[in-house]
Amino acid sequence: MVFDNLQAFIAMGGYGFYVWLAFGISFAAIAVLVISGLTARRKLQREFVKEQRRQERLAQRKREVS
Amino acid sequence: MWRWLHPYAKPEVVYHLLGRWQPWLSITAALTLGLGIVWGLVFAPADYQQGDSYRIIFVHVPTAMFSMSLYIALAIAAFVGRVWQLKMADWGLAAIAPVGLTFTFISLVTGAIWGKPMWGTWWEWDARLTSQLILFFLYVGVLALYHAFSDQRNGAKAAGILAMVGVINIPIIRYSVEWWNTLHQGATLTVFERPPMATSMLIPLLVSILGFGLLAGALIVQRMRNEILRQELRRPWVKHVLNQDRATELSKTEQA
Amino acid sequence: MNDTSNWAAFTAVMRRDLMVVMRRRSDVLNPLLFILMVVSLFPLAVGPGPDILGRIAAGVIWVAALLSALLGSERLFRDDFLDGTLEQLTLLPQPLPLLAGAKIVVHWLLSGLPLVILAPLCALLLKLPAEGWLTLMATLVVGTPILSAVTAIGAALTVSLGRGGALLSLLLLPLFIPLLIFATGAVEAALMGTAAWPQVLLLAGLSLLTLLLAPFAVAAAIRVSVN
């Protein structure tokens, strides 16, 4: 531990703004990447459910006609 | 050898294989990266010249390193897809490109932020920063072309050709930018060319390089699986997989 | 396939493309007028003092050249794609890279060559000092083939999309950066009184390399676009 207390850690020897800005932006960019991967998966799922319902409706209509 | 490789050309097999890897890869990536970053931020000693501002190195250097190798990986995937007509390689391109773009973006932004306290401006037309900016543009081009096609198989192929053209261009770009920099006597940033690092700084740096590598791997695996599902959405095995997902989700909501 | 039939196909594609363009002369003239206008905007924007104009002249002319190459890229493949000619070309027994090469040559004849001819006028307007003229012309002669070849790759990749424009410039401009750097660097070296021929030779080498490899990339891109 090279910092004496939490305040010194946040101040980063006077460079706090730059260090935390750099780490914050990096973290945000990676978070966006992770979340976009997760939502893509969920979107696929929704698309799939919609498609399946459509198929079911079509099948039902066919049964009614015949 | 081809007989042994053959099952791995099947999207279903690859999907499940990657699915087995994904949790382990994600966990080790999170742990290693966390260790490297915390070590770098809290336990590594301050630099005698740059004080604590040098701690940006623990994200800047790993992302800058991988931004380049990911573009080369992209081009290799495109080449494999082109020569052996392996559609999985084309999809790999779509999985790698966003990760590479983000890494390039992070290295650019952290470089600029590091630059402000060290040499007084946010942006300097230094050879390395400039080539990194051009690399960013190359990634943007590949992704823009990929997304411009409504048929994503064609999009992957077209983006692959562009990636191969780009990778041939990269050494030329590097050389030209370096030459341009000396011609105009631009700033050569010595911040990045440091004397051999002390071990107490080098070890956390190596740990975070490893962590970012694992992170890139985990993100690519995640995106690759999505890509396989998207491209094979009409196949029975995908229906089976998604049905199972839905069932587990439903049971979860019922419990809650 | 023997050599004569290959050569015949090459010239036939060239002749046909030239004929198509000659039926619509405005397509040839517009990019040239565009360059002239871009070049004349700069004295208005930065002031007509000769020292500043002379220093940025080569850069301005080269940037205008890049933009005009992009502007003329539509006609490379678009009409052929829409009326099915491009598909027919892929079915010919002659190698497709060769025919792509013919198209690159036509594009150069219609956008690169006029630019070389127009360059002295632009240099005059921008008050480029006399020492730089020869070098500027040399860089344009050896550099514009690269422009045509790389533009053809981009145009072939985006031809099936229907909306080239901004996307095409996004793909191509980063690839043009070395060209821009070496060309303007050569003129700058000439203005400072040092030897400019190393850069010109380097550009010539890059040009040959590009002309050798680009037809294959264009052919691959056409095959992706037509299927």
Side-chain angles (χ1 to χ4, degrees):
Chain A
M1 191 69 96
V2 293
F3 297 103
D4 299 335
N5 50 34
L6 191 67
Q7 235 138 24
F9 176 60
I10 289 170
M12 278 281 158
Y15 295 115
F17 173 68
Y18 302 107
V19 172
W20 295 117
L21 187 65
F23 276 84
I25 290 177
S26 310
F27 182 78
I30 290 167
V32 166
L33 206 58
V34 172
I35 290 168
S36 81
L38 291 176
T39 50
R41 170 88 191 208
R42 208 157 297 153
K43 221 169 98 186
L44 276 173
Q45 185 93 32
R46 266 205 302 276
E47 223 168 89
F48 165 76
V49 170
K50 220 195 279 173
E51 173 73 20
Q52 217 168 29
R53 291 222 179 100
R54 208 175 63 93
Q55 295 283 350
E56 275 163 23
R57 273 206 304 277
L58 269 178
Q60 204 172 2
R61 188 107 16 108
K62 232 175 242 169
R63 252 178 281 136
E64 282 168 10
V65 169
S66 60
Chain B
M1 181 193 156
W2 293 116
R3 185 183 288 271
W4 173 80
L5 263 179
H6 190 70
Y8 293 103
K10 252 194 186 154
E12 185 182 355
V13 176
V14 176
Y15 178 82
H16 289 298
L17 186 70
L18 292 180
R20 270 206 300 281
W21 290 358
Q22 196 181 357
W24 298 109
L25 207 51
S26 312
I27 291 168
T28 42
L31 289 180
T32 321
L33 196 59
L35 177 69
I37 296 294
V38 169
W39 194 340
L41 276 177
V42 183
F43 296 104
D47 189 70
Y48 74 99
Q49 270 179 332
Q50 301 185 14
D52 287 313
S53 76
Y54 95 98
R55 291 180 199 279
I56 295 174
I57 207 174
F58 296 109
V59 276
H60 177 78
V61 165
T63 48
M65 274 177 62
F66 286 113
S67 64
M68 185 49 123
S69 23
L70 284 174
Y71 195 87
I72 293 168
L74 192 79
I76 291 174
F79 183 77
V80 170
R82 192 84 219 141
V83 173
W84 286 284
Q85 300 290 320
L86 212 63
K87 48 188 176 169
M88 210 83 66
D90 283 338
W91 305 346
L93 179 139
I96 296 171
V99 180
L101 179 79
T102 309
F103 274 39
T104 317
F105 171 77
I106 292 174
S107 75
L108 265 178
V109 171
T110 53
I113 292 173
W114 195 1
K116 179 64 182 163
M118 282 304 109
W119 64 91
T121 80
W122 293 102
W123 184 260
E124 190 63 70
W125 288 99
D126 155 78
R128 235 176 276 198
L129 285 181
T130 312
S131 351
Q132 199 68 10
L133 182 67
I134 298 169
L135 183 66
F136 181 73
F137 290 155
L138 288 177
Y139 270 118
V140 168
V142 169
L143 270 173
L145 188 61
Y146 175 74
H147 286 293
F149 280 81
S150 51
D151 172 10
Q152 276 165 342
R153 273 211 76 176
N154 271 340
K157 277 186 189 166
I161 293 174
L162 186 70
M164 284 189 273
V165 173
V167 91
I168 294 173
N169 238 292
I170 279 183
I172 303 175
I173 291 175
R174 294 253 143 167
Y175 174 71
S176 71
V177 168
E178 229 146 77
W179 179 80
W180 162 82
N181 196 46
T182 53
L183 178 77
H184 294 274
Q185 282 149 14
T188 309
L189 306 177
T190 47
V191 183
F192 304 118
E193 283 153 7
R194 305 160 46 78
M197 278 177 112
T199 326
S200 52
M201 299 174 183
L202 191 62
I203 292 175
L205 181 61
L206 290 178
V207 172
S208 40
I209 288 173
L210 184 67
F212 270 102
L214 287 168
L215 175 71
L219 286 169
I220 290 168
V221 165
Q222 180 198 31
R223 282 176 178 266
M224 186 70 191
R225 291 182 82 210
N226 282 345
E227 199 60 30
I228 292 174
L229 284 187
R230 183 175 307 137
Q231 303 269 2
E232 301 258 301
L233 202 53
R234 298 279 147 80
R235 299 286 167 84
W237 75 266
V238 175
K239 283 184 185 160
H240 185 68
V241 165
L242 288 177
N243 264 331
Q244 261 182 348
D245 276 19
R246 205 174 148 201
T248 51
E249 217 166 90
L250 281 179
S251 68
K252 253 187 223 160
T253 46
E254 263 165 33
Q255 277 172 8
Chain C
M1 265 322 108
N2 53 26
D3 288 348
T4 46
S5 87
N6 280 346
W7 178 245
F10 185 83
T11 49
V13 168
M14 266 183 68
R15 198 159 346 117
R16 177 185 159 280
D17 281 11
L18 281 175
M19 211 190 293
V20 167
V21 174
M22 280 309 152
R23 297 245 166 90
R24 269 188 312 178
R25 302 247 164 102
S26 65
D27 274 12
V28 187
L29 276 178
N30 288 349
L32 292 183
L33 292 171
F34 170 78
I35 290 182
L36 213 56
M37 279 179 199
V38 168
V39 163
S40 50
L41 283 182
F42 275 84
L44 300 174
V46 300
D51 39 328
I52 184 163
L53 275 185
R55 255 183 47 218
I56 63 168
V60 170
I61 292 172
W62 261 101
V63 169
L66 298 191
L67 295 179
S68 92
L70 289 176
L71 209 64
S73 63
E74 283 249 307
R75 67 159 175 256
L76 257 164
F77 301 112
R78 174 58 47 79
D79 292 345
D80 285 359
F81 175 75
L82 290 178
D83 65 13
T85 316
L86 207 57
E87 205 165 353
Q88 297 297 320
L89 285 182
T90 64
L91 298 175
L92 283 181
Q94 281 81 11
L96 188 57
L98 186 80
L99 307 175
K103 289 206 162 273
I104 293 173
V105 172
V106 172
H107 184 261
W108 184 77
L109 285 177
L110 292 172
S111 77
L113 190 61
L115 183 70
V116 174
I117 297 168
L118 199 66
L121 182 60
C122 297
L124 193 77
L125 284 175
L126 291 175
K127 302 186 183 167
L128 182 72
E131 304 94 314
W133 280 51
L134 198 64
T135 315
L136 177 68
M137 296 296 287
T139 58
L140 282 171
V141 169
V142 297
T144 45
I146 301 181
L147 277 186
S148 293
V150 177
T151 307
I153 299 175
L157 282 173
T158 54
V159 68
S160 64
L161 294 174
R163 51 197 152 85
L167 177 66
L168 189 65
S169 12
L170 217 60
L171 309 185
L172 292 183
L173 287 177
L175 301 177
F176 287 149
I177 287 171
L179 175 63
L180 191 68
I181 288 175
F182 287 128
T184 52
V187 178
E188 197 152 323
L191 289 185
M192 288 194 296
T194 51
W197 55 265
Q199 287 87 288
V200 176
L201 281 186
L202 193 65
L203 269 184
L206 281 182
S207 189
L208 285 180
L209 189 73
T210 316
L211 286 178
L212 204 67
L213 295 179
F216 295 95
V218 175
I222 291 176
R223 287 201 197 277
V224 170
S225 289
V226 295
N227 83 44

